[in-house]
Amino acid sequence: MEILWLDQDDVKSLLDMPSALEAVEMAFAQHGRNKVQMPPKSYLYFTAHNGDLRTMPAFLEEEDVAGVKVVNVHPENRKVGLPTVMATVILNSTSSGAPLAMMDGTYLTDIRTGAAGGVAARYLARENSSVVGMVGAGNQARTQLEAISNVFYLEQVYVFDLDTSRAEDFKEGMESVACCDITVVDSIQKACDVDILVTTTPSRKPIIKAQWLPEGIHINAIGADARGKEELDPSILQKARVVVDDMAQATHSGEVNVPLSEGYIREEDIFAQLGQIVAGLHVVRESDAQITVFDSTGLAIQDIVTANLVYKKAKNKGMGSKAKLF
């Protein structure tokens, strides 16, 4: 019994954003049609180390692919030269359960999360959106902007980060990707007067105020992916059309988790899951003045469908190395 091993260089050479966007959009559509099995991610909390470990299994019935991702989130890792997020994905045969492939999931996680933001913006933002604000300038911000620039023609991007040097690095590295000017701003508020706002911070208190937002803005709220995290003023959620990636997961670990627990909103106030909109079951935007929010927690279906894409390309190209299990 052998398993195919694909390291990060392999994954990077095989996975591009346009392909990831297509695969993730398809996965959301299957989710909207109730054609997936995906229990909410489970957590181990390492409080003493300000980190956690998560397991994320999924089965996409129409694609007949299954597997699990194991991923950590440790914000302090940057201080010791390690990524905040590190992951491994295992694909399994649905007919025998045997492991087919194991691959680096760190780069894959960045790309599939960006792709989810791109899909959300495609369906929730105004069609003529051209100005983007980024709050946070880490790896997730980069793939979010890359995905959005594959969906919209961008004219201007504003970026804010507490670490100004990181924001400057973002500008230098992403202007050629976004094909537009990127301006580093010195306050969060200056990044909010935009068509699409992307938040990718680990904040545990609201940093985006309702009075800063123009009519018609769409927000990709990416940073809140665990219990107790939140980036948006709860009053934003009270007046916006809120779309989550998965109801069960978002209510305990997404942007809505704190406002729900504190009574600012109810589950009935959440408009829909993104997959339902992708599948054509709901139309979210009533007018160009409608404010929309996408609450992204990161779904296992995104990982598995993207990993399967990488696996099939690797087999076709004869890439990776094989390891004997037994």
Side-chain angles (χ1 to χ4, degrees):
M1 179 68 207
E2 291 183 328
I3 185 171
L4 182 65
W5 165 250
L6 299 165
D7 64 23
Q8 188 169 103
D9 288 339
D10 293 327
V11 175
K12 284 184 175 180
S13 70
L14 293 165
L15 182 61
D16 59 80
M17 185 57 77
S19 297
L21 278 163
E22 183 179 354
V24 168
E25 183 171 1
M26 178 268 293
F28 273 116
Q30 290 190 30
H31 185 256
R33 295 193 296 268
N34 295 317
K35 295 295 185 179
V36 305
Q37 295 180 38
M38 186 184 64
K41 67 179 77 170
S42 60
Y43 290 77
L44 298 175
Y45 295 99
F46 309 137
T47 306
H49 306 289
N50 187 27
D52 62 65
L53 188 70
R54 312 166 189 195
T55 56
M56 302 172 62
F59 170 40
L60 289 89
E61 297 173 2
E62 294 179 357
E63 293 297 298
D64 196 32
V65 295
V68 62
K69 183 174 80 171
V70 179
V71 57
N72 76 294
V73 178
H74 281 66
E76 304 301 319
N77 275 0
R78 290 194 298 268
K79 298 177 182 178
V80 295
L82 290 174
T84 298
V85 177
M86 293 179 283
T88 304
V89 180
I90 301 173
L91 291 177
N92 294 82
S93 165
T94 58
S95 60
S96 70
L100 301 173
M102 178 182 293
M103 69 187 71
D104 171 74
T106 305
Y107 178 76
L108 185 147
T109 296
D110 285 341
I111 294 295
R112 66 74 149 151
T113 306
V119 172
R122 174 179 287 154
Y123 284 88
L124 306 182
R126 292 174 298 187
E127 291 184 3
N128 62 347
S129 295
S130 62
V131 182
V132 174
M134 311 294 302
V135 177
N139 287 338
Q140 286 295 336
R142 289 172 182 261
T143 57
Q144 287 290 317
L145 183 57
E146 181 182 359
I148 291 170
S149 69
N150 271 267
V151 176
F152 295 94
Y153 175 78
L154 301 183
E155 297 177 357
Q156 176 69 53
V157 175
Y158 299 102
V159 59
F160 172 84
D161 195 283
L162 290 173
D163 184 342
T164 304
S165 64
R166 186 156 63 158
E168 293 288 353
D169 288 344
F170 180 92
K171 169 184 168 67
E172 181 179 348
M174 293 302 296
E175 279 190 328
S176 61
V177 176
C179 298
C180 71
D181 180 61
I182 297 178
T183 302
V184 176
V185 295
D186 58 9
S187 72
I188 294 175
Q189 183 175 356
K190 291 180 181 178
C192 291
D193 189 14
V194 293
D195 300 315
I196 300 171
L197 176 65
V198 181
T199 60
T200 57
T201 77
S203 181
R204 289 184 173 271
K205 61 180 181 179
I207 56 173
I208 307 297
K209 296 185 178 181
Q211 60 265 36
W212 296 343
L213 304 180
E215 285 189 346
I217 191 172
H218 168 66
I219 304 172
N220 276 349
I222 307 298
D225 59 354
R227 185 179 60 204
K229 289 186 176 182
E230 61 175 334
E231 299 179 290
L232 309 183
D233 182 336
S235 65
I236 296 171
L237 303 181
Q238 290 175 331
K239 67 178 183 178
R241 279 271 171 98
V242 178
V243 174
V244 299
D245 53 9
D246 179 79
M247 185 69 76
Q249 194 163 283
T251 53
H252 76 72
S253 61
E255 181 63 43
V256 299
N257 86 94
V258 175
L260 281 170
S261 66
E262 295 183 352
Y264 288 101
I265 60 172
R266 304 165 300 166
E267 286 193 28
E268 307 92 89
D269 297 324
I270 297 171
F271 180 73
Q273 297 179 127
L274 180 59
Q276 295 170 321
I277 295 167
V278 175
L281 303 179
H282 297 286
V283 177
V284 65
R285 185 169 284 279
E286 294 177 326
S287 70
D288 281 349
Q290 179 78 57
I291 293 176
T292 55
V293 173
F294 172 54
D295 179 359
S296 172
T297 59
L299 303 185
I301 55 170
Q302 300 165 227
D303 298 302
I304 301 310
V305 75
T306 309
N308 187 57
L309 173 67
V310 171
Y311 173 59
K312 290 192 293 186
K313 286 185 176 181
K315 286 204 303 179
N316 287 338
K317 295 185 176 184
M319 292 181 60
S321 56
K322 294 182 179 180
K324 183 178 178 181
L325 291 179
F326 56 84

